[in-house]
């Protein structure tokens, strides 16, 4: 993750199955492409299934290169990112590492820890395979591209258990025009003694926060939070934070001890009615033989229909990679049609490439493919597309204080404004 959707917006040629030694490009170590250590936070569930599928395609394309799994467990990659930073500062990088495409990469760029891979886009045919606006979003402030996306995730999805809703006289097919309409049904569930909305630890609460900001402010003003054109101290943001406070009041008391799979499982098991999570959650339902429309529903978070809150997982070429040629071979597979199809069918996300056949994907994924192609795209806060890591960390700290009762709404808003200002 996934926490992981990527997203964000981020990825035709069928790539030849060849060794990494002829891939070219600048920088990195001088290894001969005999192995590649791939550092991710995909250690369990659908995330590991996706990684395993991608590894299988990598081994088909590059049978002479050994895959070394550097996965570190932890939702949204918090533990992995901490360990990665320690390694990078010690000049002990993996050959390639997972990072969310977008502003999350800027810290690595500023620290000269990752290489420009723009030449690989030309070599591998990715410039033509990815949508033009996605390539624009992948381009950093200096105009270079520093990662190859493996997928695209949607963050603004609300998942529901229709049986729980029906048992409480709520139409499971109801389409909520805005947060107020949704909150009315959450109140009904709360009065019936049902947990209306499941959530997990801090990063999942920040994920919920971003969707509330998007629903309350709209796409343009939400984007303005990150480019400075929307005032964090303004009345519109105050109203959005009041909605967030209301929603948090409908959540489970044990939230800080749960990660996203446990919060999602509450909906699967009927212990909660709704959950807001990226579309990596669809794999959790499908792994347990749950059918969309019968056992669960998925829809844009109320108030965000017509907007695709984007994130993408991507892979980098670190400066000083011990086996840069192995890393380039991995990037080739990550960007390939075969690699993207294999990975995304398992993970629940959608390919960044435009030449993948939607018919190869699930019913939910087909709706996401259509939405990504037609809706307004905005960038995820919680998953690295909208802000640098330092900003997200400050937002997370402020959110944790607020949701644990250590600050009031006015203090929370001021801390969010300070976080965005850097």
């Amino acid at each position: 993750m996934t926490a992981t959707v990527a997203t964000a917006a981020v990825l035709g040629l069928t790539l030849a199955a060849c060794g990494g030694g002829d891939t070219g490009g600048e920088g990195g170590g001088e290894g001969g492409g005999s192995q590649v250590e791939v550092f991710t936070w995909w250690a369990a569930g659908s995330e590991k299934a996706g990684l395993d599928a991608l590894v299988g395609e990598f081994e088909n394309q590059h049978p002479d290169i050994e895959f070394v799994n550097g996965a570190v467990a932890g939702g949204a990659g918090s533990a992995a990112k901490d360990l990665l930073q320690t390694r990078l500062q010690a000049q002990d990088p993996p050959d390639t590492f997972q990072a969310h495409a977008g502003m999350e990469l800027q810290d690595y760029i500023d620290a000269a820890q990752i290489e420009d891979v723009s030449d690989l886009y030309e070599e591998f045919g990715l410039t033509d395979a990815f949508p033009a606006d996605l390539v624009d979003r992948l381009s950093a402030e200096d105009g270079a591209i520093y990662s190859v996306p493996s997928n695209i995730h949607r963050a603004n999805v609300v998942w529901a258990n229709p049986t729980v809703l029906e048992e409480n006289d709520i139409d499971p097919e109801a389409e909520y025009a805005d947060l107020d309409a949704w909150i009315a049904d959450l109140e009904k569930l709360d009065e019936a003694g049902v947990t209306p909305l499941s959530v997990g630890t801090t990063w999942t609460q920040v994920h919920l926060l971003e969707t509330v900001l998007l629903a309350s402010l709209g796409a343009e003003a939400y984007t303005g939070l990150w480019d400075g054109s929307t005032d964090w101290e303004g009345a519109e943001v105050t109203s959005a934070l009041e909605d967030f406070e209301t929603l948090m009041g409908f959540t489970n008391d044990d939230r800080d001890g749960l990660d996203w799979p446990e919060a999602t499982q509450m909906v699967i098991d009927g212990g909660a009615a709704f959950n807001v999570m990226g579309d990596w959650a669809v794999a959790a339902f499908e792994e347990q033989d749950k059918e969309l429309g019968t056992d669960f529903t998925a829809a844009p978070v109320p108030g965000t229909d017509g907007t695709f809150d984007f994130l993408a997982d991507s892979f980098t070429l670190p400066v000083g990679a011990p086996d840069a040629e192995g890393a380039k071979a991995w990037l080739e597979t990550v960007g390939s049609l075969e690699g993207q199809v294999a990975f995304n069918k398992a993970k629940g996300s959608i390919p960044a490439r435009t030449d993948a056949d939607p018919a190869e994907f699930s019913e939910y994924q087909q709706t996401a493919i259509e939405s990504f192609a037609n809706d307004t795209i905005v960038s995820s806060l919680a998953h690295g597309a909208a802000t640098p890591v330092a900003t997200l960390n400050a937002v997370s700290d402020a959110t944790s204080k607020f949701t644990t009762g250590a600050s009031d709404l006015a203090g929370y808003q001021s801390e969010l404004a300070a976080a965005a200002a850097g």
Side-chain angles (χ1 to χ4, degrees), residues 197-201 204-205 208 248 251-252 254-256 258-259 263 266 274-276:
L197 178 63
S198 66
V199 75
T201 190
T204 71
Q205 297 166 32
L208 177 63
M248 287 300 300
T251 63
N252 43 299
D254 61 348
R255 57 187 178 246
D256 291 318
L258 307 181
D259 207 336
M266 291 180 66
F274 295 100
N275 174 257
V276 172

Side-chain angles (χ1 to χ4, degrees), residues 232-255:
W232 270 100
E233 299 277 17
E236 286 185 331
V237 174
T238 304
S239 178
L241 296 181
E242 289 171 348
D243 287 336
F244 176 66
E245 183 175 35
T246 298
L247 290 175
M248 287 300 300
F250 292 126
T251 63
N252 43 299
D253 292 337
D254 61 348
R255 57 187 178 246

Side-chain angles (χ1 to χ4, degrees), residues 238-322:
T238 304
S239 178
L241 296 181
E242 289 171 348
D243 287 336
F244 176 66
E245 183 175 35
T246 298
L247 290 175
M248 287 300 300
F250 292 126
T251 63
N252 43 299
D253 292 337
D254 61 348
R255 57 187 178 246
D256 291 318
L258 307 181
D259 207 336
W260 79 265
E262 292 81 23
T264 301
Q265 193 65 40
M266 291 180 66
V267 174
I268 296 173
D269 292 341
F274 295 100
N275 174 257
V276 172
M277 186 45 55
D279 56 11
W280 48 90
V282 72
F285 288 92
E286 291 173 347
E287 284 172 351
Q288 297 176 58
D289 297 323
K290 305 301 182 183
E291 293 187 9
L292 180 65
T294 301
D295 302 306
F296 71 99
T297 62
V301 170
T304 71
D305 192 20
T307 304
F308 191 109
D309 186 9
F310 150 89
L311 64 132
D313 299 298
S314 67
F315 287 90
T316 63
L317 177 58
V319 171

